[in-house]
Structure formats: C-alpha cells, structure tokens
Amino acid sequence: MIDRLALPADAKPGPNCGLTALAVVAGVTLAEATRVYLRQYPRHPGSNWKGGTRWPYTLQAAKHLGVRYIDDTPLEDGYTIRIVKRMSLKTFVKKHALPGKRYMIRTTGHVQVLQDGWVVDQGGVKHIDEYPGAGKIVKDAVRIK
C-alpha cells in the first residue's frame, strides 16, 4: 500500500470518484481499476457510461485487486441490527478515524479515500478542513488493512 495519499498517474476529472478511490486503495492505475470494476458489474454499462459506480461492485473489485478491508461504518449504539449513525465526513474524521489508517468512504453521491485528516478524490488531495465534501453524510466506511 502507498504510504502517502496521491492520485493515480492516469487520473482524470469526471464522474469517476469510485474508480479513483479504488485505484488509490489498490495502488493501481485508473485504467486497471476500471477494467477490474467492469468485470464485477453484472451487466455491461451502456455506451453513455461516464464512470459512476455501485458500492457493492466497488468492494468486489477491491477484493479482486487484493485489497483487504474491515467494515468500519459507524453504527448506532445499542442496536443489534445494522442502523447507520448519521454523521458528516468531518465528524467521522474527528470521532472514528484512527491515526495512520486509510479508509475508503462512501458518502452521499460520492466516494473518497481518507487518511490522517487528508482526503483524496478525482479533484486531488485536500485536508478535511478545506475539502468541499466535508459536510457530506457517511453511508459506508471501510478501513483498509
């Protein structure tokens, strides 16, 4: 795994946040992440597909790329069934993110990678205090082993 957060060499702007996050956590190019993701997708996306992803297939692709992870989605205390606690990405960083650990996080309409208060998506690397998506609500979070 890469020690420092950085975009893949072939990164490009566009609606490809899930593919970019997959490439970052797996340490592969965006093209390789896209190829592996498309193999997991149950039906071929149409010719107008611009790079949008579905979370379950992103996780399957991560496994195929050798990424090991632990589900760290914040849950409500006292419940035995999976009820996600509503919190922003910035709150997740302050209350749940462990130092030195890398996370791939799905928020409302977006996927990004987080480590030590720094966030990377297709727009580049930014500190959480300067990240425009800091207020987005965390839907899923996986801690990369």
Side-chain angles (χ1 to χ4, degrees):
M1 182 163 64
I2 305 164
D3 288 358
R4 204 171 140 288
L5 286 179
L7 285 171
D10 60 345
K12 60 183 177 183
N16 59 16
C17 58
L19 298 171
T20 300
L22 181 60
V24 169
V25 298
V28 298
T29 64
L30 183 61
E32 175 69 6
T34 302
R35 185 183 64 74
V36 172
Y37 175 83
L38 287 174
R39 280 200 331 235
Q40 307 313 308
Y41 204 69
R43 59 178 204 261
H44 184 72
S47 60
N48 63 346
W49 183 68
K50 294 176 179 67
T53 56
R54 303 260 189 251
W55 186 247
Y57 308 129
T58 303
L59 295 180
Q60 286 176 14
K63 285 181 182 177
H64 280 276
L65 287 166
V67 176
R68 293 180 23 217
Y69 58 84
I70 299 168
D71 190 340
D72 263 0
T73 305
L75 304 176
E76 288 283 0
D77 297 331
Y79 289 92
T80 55
I81 59 173
R82 186 178 174 86
I83 298 177
V84 177
K85 186 175 185 178
R86 185 176 167 88
M87 74 173 60
S88 69
L89 182 60
K90 192 168 191 172
T91 300
F92 181 88
V93 170
K94 290 180 180 177
K95 293 187 175 183
H96 294 285
L98 301 171
K101 301 296 182 185
R102 185 169 289 188
Y103 297 85
M104 183 166 60
I105 299 176
R106 181 176 74 93
T107 55
T108 42
H110 199 51
V111 179
Q112 53 272 307
V113 178
L114 166 75
Q115 184 176 343
D116 295 327
W118 292 90
V119 182
V120 63
D121 64 9
Q122 70 269 36
V125 181
K126 293 183 176 69
H127 192 271
I128 190 67
D129 293 331
E130 300 166 0
Y131 184 62
K136 287 184 170 276
I137 302 301
V138 173
K139 300 296 185 181
D140 292 286
V142 294
R143 180 167 26 107
I144 308 303
K145 286 183 168 183

